[in-house]
Amino acid sequence: MVNQSATRGEARSGRRALLLAVPVAIVSMAPLVWAGISSLRPGEEIFRYLSPFSWRTLFPESVSLDNYLSVLQSPFALALVNSVSVAFFGVALGLVVAALAGYALAVLPFPGRTAVFAFMVVCFLVPFEAIAIPLSASFREMGLANSYAGLILPALGNGLSIFLLRQFFMGIPSSLAEAGRLDGLSWFGVLRRIYLPLSRGPMIGAGLILFVFQWQSFLWPLLIAPAPDVRVAPVAIADFAQETGVDYGQMFAAAILTAAIPLLLLLFFQRHFTGSTASSGTKE
Amino acid sequence: MTSVTARTEREVTRGRTRRSLVRRETWISAVVLLLPAVVLLLLLRIIPTVTAMAEAVPLGGERSPWSNFAYIFSDPSFLNSVWVTLLFSVIVNPIQIALALALAVLLTKHIPAVGLWRTFILLPIAVPQAVSAIIWLVMLRPDGPLNGLASAIGLPTVPWLTEPGWALISIVIVCSWVGVGYWMTFLVTGIKEIPSSLYEASALDGANGWRQFWSITLPGLRRPLLFVLVADTVSNFLVFAPVRILTQGGPQGGTDLLMHNISERAYTLGDTQAASAATLVLVAIVIVVVTIQFRMLPGKED
């Protein structure tokens, strides 16, 4: 009885909370939805129906993909390709670096392990943005300006992804590693045969951290690779907006394309975060 | 007798060499596995920090090693930038944390389709900041949709990006739109870890929602809240893309946050020494503020 009335009370307060949650969600989505709608109408139509507000503000007279077609035929397409390739190599190489380091820090018994881990935590505390400007000066001196290497390298020294994988690897029962060692596996073999197959979820998590870092970055590519042939999408969009006589329809199409890729990845990989496979290896 | 002792001794020695071989293999493996990460972190974090220090404090020249600091602290544009950054920080952090906390409490209630609303509020973080800033650049135009909506419901229009005070508020709005959902998710996880039996017991004692928030939710959230407080504060000291795209630090320096001021120094004015000195000031401010936050919040009692 008590239980039942409690759930009924909860349901009532849940409905009241819904009245607050829905407007907040709408406010949160509105700028993206408006950008999405604007990307489907001709540039000159975007500001026509704003004051006074009318139903035409939200519903275009005609819907067309022309903005997307012209953006994909413009130099912005190259910027999008640059962004995707830089992110791909950043994630792939960054994962290798992070998995090796996280595994060594979690599993290998060697003297100085705590010191190395402390060193990585200290590095993690120096915000990348704060040192981006002095770092970009040394990158320029090394001839890495306007190169893919210059764009990719900073993403590889990612303390957060190392930390995440170390935490997960520490949760895998060490009896598995010991058994592997007794069977004559090298330490690298233990990583490849035992740890990595158990670590799909955390590897995807670390990959997303690396991807978001790379896809979000704006200050660094602006400093190190502003040239049109290596420019990434966020820099290209900022350049776009600062042109005179910018076509806002096309600008919104470019914005939506740049935003859509991380959104799709987030939605696609979301289910991999739930549930851990760490404990499934042993019968304990 | 003797032969047996000799044999065990030999076995012991062999075991010892094998163990030391294994230890050596472990050591070499550790070095090989850690080398890439350590080299990269040295190259990308430690060396640039040291470079910045060396550049900001030039030793052995005719000038005093502290001349760069003397210069920036007598430069009105830098002092204005420090003031604007502190003002921004004092406004934006309480707003973002209060909103994130309120939303976390709201979105851990038994709401139908709660995951959907949470995802909608989280989505802006996935959009690159430069793209968010571009969208808001148009939203905040004098003839943009925000002013259109305001005049439609009879409110006065707002000089969002053209008046210094409103421009700073605009940056606050954009950063909060991006960040609140992100910080909320950490607090949602924190609230879910508070045992529901605590709430049930206090409900039997007749505590209302407000009492429960202060006596159960808030104390139970101490750890995630401290994390959000520190991480959010640090990230707000490093805001760059919205300033660069929305206001370029203007009007009249009203939004000239330190990251923007530093990048202007380094790349528009070409004064890397002053930029490095300013970077060190920024890092020092961040460290001081974060230390104060750690001291103020009741620490580790469990």
Side-chain angles (χ1 to χ4, degrees), chain B residues 203-226:
Chain B
L204 287 179
D205 288 344
N208 60 15
W210 189 244
R211 269 293 299 280
Q212 287 185 334
F213 172 76
W214 286 103
S215 59
I216 301 173
T217 312
L218 214 49
L221 271 181
R222 212 183 55 236
R223 272 158 195 287
L225 207 53
L226 180 62

Side-chain angles (χ1 to χ4, degrees), chain B residues 274-289:
Chain B
S276 293
T279 302
L280 292 184
V281 173
L282 173 63
V283 172
I285 294 176
V286 171
I287 292 174
V288 168
V289 170

Side-chain angles (χ1 to χ4, degrees), chain A residues 152-177:
Chain A
I152 294 168
L153 268 172
L156 304 187
N158 188 308
L160 190 58
S161 59
I162 297 174
F163 182 69
L164 179 84
L165 289 177
R166 170 192 179 260
Q167 295 305 98
F168 179 80
F169 288 151
M170 298 223 328
I172 294 179
S174 57
S175 53
L176 290 178

Side-chain angles (χ1 to χ4, degrees), chain A residues 10 14 18 28 47 50 100 109-110 126-127 129-131 136 153 157 181 187 216 223 237 241 248 251 262-263, chain B residues 25-26 33-34 41 44-45 110-111 117 120-121 123 125-127 129 134 138 141 143 148 177 238 259 267 279:
Chain A
E10 271 172 5
L18 186 67
S28 178
F47 293 97
L50 284 179
L100 295 182
F110 64 94
V126 179
E129 288 91 337
I131 52 153
S136 68
L153 268 172
R181 291 287 289 167
W187 282 113
Q216 281 268 1
L223 298 177
I237 287 185
Y248 283 96
M251 194 187 78
L263 293 183
Chain B
E25 192 225 328
T26 304
L33 293 171
L34 284 168
L41 286 174
L44 298 166
R45 301 284 156 126
H110 292 257
I111 304 180
W117 314 121
F120 279 171
I121 295 170
L123 275 188
I125 191 69
V127 179
Q129 277 203 17
I134 291 291
V138 185
R141 276 165 55 124
D143 58 348
W177 178 73
L238 301 170
M259 280 304 297
Y267 284 93
T279 302

Side-chain angles (χ1 to χ4, degrees), chain A residues 191-226:
Chain A
L191 171 65
R192 204 169 61 91
R193 301 276 184 83
I194 299 174
Y195 277 73
L196 284 186
L198 288 173
S199 309
R200 230 172 97 110
M203 287 294 279
I204 290 172
L208 271 183
I209 290 176
L210 292 162
F211 176 82
V212 168
F213 176 87
Q214 192 68 275
W215 198 261
Q216 281 268 1
S217 61
F218 174 68
L219 174 61
W220 179 257
L222 191 69
L223 298 177
I224 200 69

